Amino acid sequence: MAYTVGVLAMEHVAAGLVEHDRVVGAIQTFPADARDGASVLTALPEADITEAIARLVEQVAGSHPIEAVGVGFPGVIREGMVDESPNLQQVKGSPLARRLSDVLGGRSPVFVLNDADAVAAGIAATRGEIGTLTRVWTLGSGIGFGRHPHGPGVWEGGHIVVSLDPKESLCGCGGVGHLEGIIGHRAMRLRFLDREPEEVFEQAAQGDAVCAAFVRLWHRALAAATATSVHFEGPGRFFLAGPNAGLVDRAQLASALHDMVTMSPLQGSAFEVVTKSDELAIIGAAVEAHRTIVG
Ligand SMILES: [Zn+2]
């Protein structure tokens, strides 16, 4: 049995050796202490990011035969190219799959997909639901919308317009009224002058009116973007993953969605928080790479 390597590059880089739909051996990260590495990639030149990914691939692969390498990367990915990456601008335009393949000395073919799509594929694979419509919001500095099965199109759900207020302009892409500009980690820090989002949510729970109003807005924004997905593709389960998934109050989110989706055939969606986003994305990237390259 040959192996596949899965990689997630989101706030940091994580990689693992994958056999079927599970990780074998330890997951390796860059930086090694990834908990302290929030958004560490934003300061790195493109060549260093490519190098870091390649080194991790070699580290987890060891001497095993590798059939394919799958890399989940933030942004608009098309045929191995990073067409756009609002939170990692230095990688925009990079032929990432080819560069990685070169650094790896052609050892194995490389497949690059959107990071949130990798999480969605990982959720589907680990639940034995490959082929079932699986949608996930990844909540970090950027906001990702992952969908499995992967379809043609752009699917930049983090940039869905959820506000017509022209003052809502904190999205990493510069667009006005975007979901990420309200619920993204970076945007929250800009809004609250570098206060940590956890602290803002805590103060809301303790009755601070400004923080509480923001927490309501935060949930309504995520519900609004979810409602858009429901109005396009129908109801279903929506997964919540990534470093800020712990901020979600599922009851508040479900209540806001209930107010926004009223047609009876479209009701009945549910939210589920998943942990271990790194592991799910590694598995998803590997599974999608294997399906695409090996078949
Ligand atoms: Zn945006």
Side-chain angles (χ1 to χ4, degrees), residues 107-267:
R107 179 177 176 181
S108 51
V110 178
F111 176 72
V112 182
L113 72 165
N114 174 269
D115 56 347
D117 285 342
V119 178
I123 291 168
T126 53
R127 291 168 184 241
E129 295 175 356
I130 280 286
T132 303
L133 176 62
T134 305
R135 290 171 281 188
V136 59
W137 294 109
T138 57
L139 311 177
S141 260
I143 300 299
F145 177 72
R147 184 186 185 280
H148 169 88
H150 182 67
V154 178
W155 301 103
E156 277 294 306
H159 303 273
I160 286 176
V161 174
V162 294
S163 169
L164 297 180
D165 183 346
K167 291 195 292 296
E168 287 295 348
S169 58
L170 298 176
C171 189
C173 81
V176 176
H178 292 191
L179 175 65
E180 183 180 307
I182 294 172
I183 74 167
H185 194 91
R186 175 186 163 279
M188 285 192 277
R189 291 196 52 138
L190 287 171
R191 183 182 304 258
F192 285 96
L193 308 173
D194 279 347
R195 271 160 77 193
E196 285 299 330
E198 290 80 5
E199 190 189 319
V200 172
F201 275 63
E202 267 168 35
Q203 297 208 346
Q206 287 161 16
D208 179 284
V210 172
C211 293
F214 175 71
V215 168
R216 275 195 302 278
L217 175 70
W218 194 94
H219 284 89
R220 285 174 56 77
L222 184 51
T226 305
T228 295
S229 178
V230 170
H231 287 123
F232 281 153
E233 291 204 287
R237 268 183 312 172
F238 287 85
F239 295 91
L240 304 157
N244 281 342
L247 296 178
V248 172
D249 174 346
R250 279 195 305 153
Q252 193 175 156
L253 189 56
S255 163
L257 183 67
H258 187 263
D259 292 344
M260 294 171 183
V261 178
T262 56
M263 289 182 260
S264 61
L266 302 187
Q267 288 174 351

